[in-house]
Amino acid sequence: MQTHQYDVVIVGAGGAGMRAALESSKRTRTAVISKLYPTRSHTGAAQGGMCAALANVEEDNWEWHTFDTVKGGDYLVDQDAAEVMAKEAIDAVLDLEKMGLPFNRTPEGKIDQRRFGGHTRNHGEAAVRRSCYAADRTGHMILQTLYQQCVKNDVQFFNEFYVLDVLLSHDLTSGTVPDGQEVAVSGVVAYELATGEIHLFRAKSVVFATGGAGKIYKTTSNAQTLTGDGMALAFRRGIPLEDMEFFQFHPTGLAGLGILLSEAARGEGGILRNSDGERFMERYAPTIKDLAPRDIVARSMANEVREGRGAGPNKDYVLLDLTHLEPAHIDAKLPDITEFARTYLGIEPYTEPVPVYPTAHYAMGGIPTNILGEVLRNNTDTVRGLYAAGEVACVSVHGSNRLGTNSLLDINVFGKRSGIAAAEYALGADWVEMPEEPEVGVVAELERMRTLPSGERLAHVRQDLQNTMDANAQVFRTEESLRQALADIRALQERYRHVSVQDKGKVYNLDLLEALELGFLLDISEVVVVGALNRQESRGGHFREDFPKRDDANYMQHTMAYRRPSAATAAAGQSPSGPGTSAPGAFDVVLGYKPVVMTRYEPMERKY
Ligand SMILES: Cc1cc2nc3c(=O)[nH]c(=O)nc-3n(C[C@H](O)[C@H](O)[C@H](O)COP(=O)(O)OP(=O)(O)OC[C@H]3O[C@@H](n4cnc5c(N)ncnc54)[C@H](O)[C@@H]3O)c2cc1C
């Protein structure tokens, strides 16, 4: 085992991690650990843009942006955080511009801006052009730009290293650490893919920036690697997860595949039509139509299909019509996504409408933080030295539904904030004692998986998980469907105990790591479904057919999900907390609530 020591360790080299690393490395010794080579992170797949009220092409201001974010999130947004994000958006874009990001330009040479769902002028009057973009490759440009800057700043990268545990001064899973007690982070344990070697990283500050968990679903826009690692690792160490029942389904995945066609397609004038050729969004959102927020558009599409107005031989998708746009305009603004339609569906978007259906896209929930990026272990106490930013975190700026282009913004604003906070904390803090033999839990779990002679195939368990999540915890949910999902997940957790990997080696053993990632997916799915069952209302991305109305009296609160020993475990006097999975039934998901921060916007009914 090798041991390393850095003031700040950042886990994840996507937009959030590298934005944090840039700030931190200017101040103190910083390492970034990433299971992927940095520029392969999912941020690089982001297409449509990053919003900021620059007012370059039409009147706009950050207060309208704040309001849109709060309303878009169905009032579950912490308004202080949304205000910070909308205000700092402008500098966040200009910072990237100064670093050299090649944004599209207006004829006058300013950063160009386009429309995106839910972004409006004057509190909902009409759609506004707020998204800054580089064709439909905005995320790619952000990632490349940040990586170059990190290299320039001598950030130390540990690539293809998987973080598998986070070390804390106290065992929070027991639920017995009193409120107010100081709890601190002391480092992380990582596994090197190339060698199978374990590495211990001692750090004063740790920033989690590990991205989302879209792979809990079968139909998803997310990359293969988005398995919720950071969320699951924190959760297994007793840190709560916030608002996990809110998952975003993006309206325009390529039908049957889930590959994303950016909302930019509608921002540039694309129209959704049903089998009758009707522009059906006129019925659901008369003012901004196809540019309504994603939860509303996705539900409307699913509803068209349910009511028999779907297109295609099985009537199971709707059509995204770009045929009225000039081919030159499509080529200039939407080159990649139209190529996806040609490559994957054999459709020519100049002349034919593209089959689309909602695809699992974004985790609104995650590790709870305050606006500095400090991780919360309950409603008020932070874990000293521990930070989270980006899709893994829940600040909460997206509430129950994120607006398009607000995530590339979130990763820049809160990546930067957490990088600064982590470095400044580290500069003034003492080293925290590491637990004895901090790696034993990880080593034991790896050995267990590697040495099981034969058993369940991991791909089968993962497939069954993704199928039940698609069938039972997707756009429409009911008590019955969610109970089914939970029963399936519990059975899959049992099967997971018997998953054996075929590759028994140490070098580049992806089989082994995918097995561990499957454990993360199972944990996250359970939290999503338990939260969804408990939330007997419909809000944003969470729609309960049996409770179709928003219920502010009972549920205008954030869900906080904790992993706690079950009664059986407690009775047996066991304390099995740690990085590995544990026997089904050893833990319960226990829910609490956290108040929503309201500053200036009273909740209203959401109409567009
Ligand atoms: C197809 C697509 C298009 C999108 N388009 C837009 C858009 O136009 N505008 C917008 O605002 N948002 C968009 N989004 C959402 C947005 O891109 C993401 O939410 C955001 O980029 C997430 O950034 P991140 O830094 O949090 O995580 P990521 O970019 O996903 O990076 C996660 C990092 O964590 C590392 N990691 C994960 N687990 C481990 C582990 N166990 N150990 C070590 N490292 C680990 C990975 O290696 C990776 O470097 C899009 C998303 C998708 C999927």
Side-chain angles (χ1 to χ4, degrees):
M1 186 179 70
Q2 290 188 40
T3 304
H4 314 260
Q5 186 161 309
Y6 287 89
D7 285 339
V8 178
V9 161
I10 293 166
V11 187
M18 291 207 283
R19 192 67 189 82
L22 253 187
E23 295 302 326
S24 175
S25 62
K26 286 179 198 158
R27 293 166 173 83
T28 190
R29 272 192 86 230
T30 301
V32 174
I33 308 175
S34 176
K35 71 178 182 181
L36 299 173
Y37 186 75
T39 50
R40 298 190 66 194
S41 305
H42 191 70
T43 296
Q47 303 166 354
M50 164 171 170
C51 59
L54 300 182
N56 275 1
V57 280
E58 52 193 31
E59 190 188 356
D60 198 4
N61 66 62
W62 65 259
E63 192 274 321
W64 294 349
H65 183 184
T66 312
F67 171 79
D68 288 340
T69 300
V70 170
K71 181 180 171 190
D74 222 347
Y75 295 90
L76 200 73
V77 171
D78 284 337
Q79 297 184 10
D80 56 341
E83 217 168 288
V84 162
M85 184 172 78
K87 232 190 254 184
E88 294 182 7
I90 296 162
D91 278 342
V93 168
L94 299 181
D95 282 353
L96 289 169
E97 183 188 33
K98 283 179 209 138
M99 290 176 207
L101 194 147
F103 284 110
N104 275 47
R105 300 278 163 180
T106 64
E108 306 78 53
K110 293 182 184 169
I111 293 174
D112 197 10
Q113 298 189 275
R114 66 177 160 210
R115 298 192 179 92
F116 244 82
H119 291 280
T120 70
R121 48 171 294 133
N122 203 13
H123 308 126
E125 219 169 70
V128 78
R129 290 170 60 167
R130 187 176 288 148
S131 164
C132 311
Y133 64 99
D136 53 2
R137 306 175 183 126
T138 315
H140 174 85
M141 297 303 182
I142 289 178
L143 208 56
Q144 299 290 336
T145 304
L146 290 175
Y147 186 52
Q148 288 163 4
Q149 294 294 319
C150 282
V151 170
K152 185 174 137 194
N153 271 342
D154 277 337
V155 174
Q156 296 285 308
F157 283 96
F158 293 85
N159 298 331
E160 298 187 328
F161 277 56
Y162 286 64
V163 169
L164 298 178
D165 198 9
V166 52
L167 305 169
L168 303 178
S169 60
H170 293 69
D171 174 14
L172 295 177
T173 45
S174 65
T176 54
V177 177
D179 288 359
Q181 164 82 49
E182 192 171 291
V183 174
V185 71
S186 59
V188 297
V189 181
Y191 173 96
E192 184 180 359
L193 183 63
T195 60
E197 200 179 345
I198 298 290
H199 293 251
L200 190 60
F201 287 84
R202 192 168 192 212
K204 290 182 180 171
S205 295
V206 172
V207 183
F208 267 94
T210 48
K215 278 295 172 188
I216 60 175
Y217 291 97
K218 181 173 98 186
T219 310
T220 175
S221 67
N222 281 197
Q224 199 62 25
T225 51
L226 289 175
T227 44
D229 306 15
M231 297 172 189
L233 294 178
F235 185 63
R236 287 177 183 181
R237 283 296 181 190
I239 289 166
L241 295 177
E242 182 174 348
D243 288 342
M244 292 297 286
E245 61 271 32
F246 296 104
F247 215 93
Q248 175 162 86
F249 300 92
H250 191 297
T252 53
L254 287 181
L257 298 172
I259 295 170
L260 193 75
L261 288 197
S262 170
E263 197 171 296
R266 282 170 286 136
E268 296 292 349
I271 290 171
L272 292 166
R273 300 190 189 279
N274 60 22
S275 56
D276 304 330
E278 185 204 5
R279 183 179 193 180
F280 58 86
M281 281 312 299
E282 284 178 334
R283 271 188 278 122
Y284 297 95
T287 311
I288 53 176
K289 305 181 182 80
D290 299 272
L291 286 176
R294 291 176 177 170
D295 56 333
I296 295 177
V297 180
R299 239 176 350 260
S300 307
M301 289 167 64
N303 202 47
E304 289 299 295
V305 166
R306 282 181 152 201
E307 293 184 354
R309 294 185 293 277
N314 302 319
K315 294 183 153 300
D316 56 357
Y317 54 75
V318 302
L319 296 166
L320 176 65
D321 185 2
L322 304 172
T323 57
H324 53 290
L325 303 179
E326 285 295 324
H329 183 71
I330 292 179
D331 291 347
K333 301 292 175 74
L334 308 166
D336 278 6
I337 60 169
T338 40
E339 203 52 40
F340 293 166
R342 292 182 193 111
T343 306
Y344 298 109
L345 293 182
I347 293 278
E348 175 45 68
Y350 296 157
T351 53
E352 296 167 275
V354 184
V356 289
Y357 198 73
T359 181
H361 185 59
Y362 184 85
M364 265 76 74
I367 301 174
T369 74
N370 60 22
I371 54 176
L372 298 174
E374 296 172 327
V375 169
L376 293 165
R377 69 175 179 89
N378 54 34
N379 285 8
T380 47
D381 295 321
T382 58
V383 178
R384 298 195 61 183
L386 188 59
Y387 301 80
E391 193 167 338
V392 69
C394 181
V395 186
S396 137
V397 282
H398 309 302
S400 60
N401 171 61
R402 172 174 75 81
L403 292 187
T405 67
N406 261 352
S407 176
L408 290 181
L409 176 59
D410 171 4
I411 62 179
N412 275 284
V413 168
F414 292 102
K416 176 175 178 177
R417 284 182 155 243
S418 60
I420 295 173
E424 285 179 352
Y425 171 77
L427 287 170
D430 292 327
W431 292 97
V432 173
E433 196 72 33
M434 300 268 269
E436 263 175 49
E437 297 190 282
E439 76 289 2
V440 279
V442 168
V443 172
E445 179 68 2
L446 288 167
E447 270 319 290
R448 189 187 72 76
M449 295 233 123
R450 219 194 320 248
T451 49
L452 265 185
S454 67
E456 285 278 359
R457 295 289 292 269
L458 91 93
H460 295 165
V461 176
R462 185 172 54 205
Q463 195 174 32
D464 290 352
L465 173 69
Q466 292 170 337
N467 281 338
T468 188
M469 291 299 284
D470 264 26
N472 296 311
Q474 228 229 18
V475 174
F476 293 115
R477 302 162 172 192
T478 63
E479 162 121 25
E480 198 191 342
S481 75
L482 292 166
R483 290 220 175 277
Q484 182 62 52
L486 191 57
D488 291 346
I489 292 165
R490 298 259 158 85
L492 289 165
Q493 284 167 337
E494 180 56 42
R495 283 173 59 192
Y496 180 71
R497 301 283 304 159
H498 308 287
V499 161
S500 70
V501 297
Q502 250 99 63
D503 183 349
K504 308 288 182 192
K506 293 222 153 173
V507 176
Y508 275 99
N509 191 342
L510 281 167
D511 199 18
L512 180 63
L513 287 150
E514 280 190 32
L516 291 170
E517 289 171 339
L518 174 58
F520 301 145
L521 291 175
L522 283 161
D523 282 6
I524 299 299
S525 301
E526 184 179 4
V527 180
V528 169
V529 170
V530 169
L533 258 172
N534 177 66
R535 190 172 280 274
Q536 298 187 339
E537 65 156 356
S538 292
R539 182 188 297 271
H542 169 69
F543 191 83
R544 286 281 302 256
E545 288 185 89
D546 39 358
F547 299 95
K549 292 238 148 40
R550 194 173 87 193
D551 175 1
D552 287 351
N554 292 305
Y555 294 103
M556 179 62 90
Q557 316 190 63
H558 299 293
T559 304
M560 299 284 271
Y562 297 83
R563 187 184 206 231
R564 293 288 179 255
S566 63
T569 307
Q574 291 164 344
S575 176
S577 65
T581 49
S582 40
F587 287 94
D588 290 331
V589 178
V590 177
L591 301 182
Y593 293 107
K594 184 157 75 81
V596 177
V597 180
M598 307 247 178
T599 54
R600 55 170 105 179
Y601 306 109
E602 284 290 323
M604 305 188 294
E605 195 194 339
R606 230 167 127 233
K607 286 198 193 126
Y608 286 93

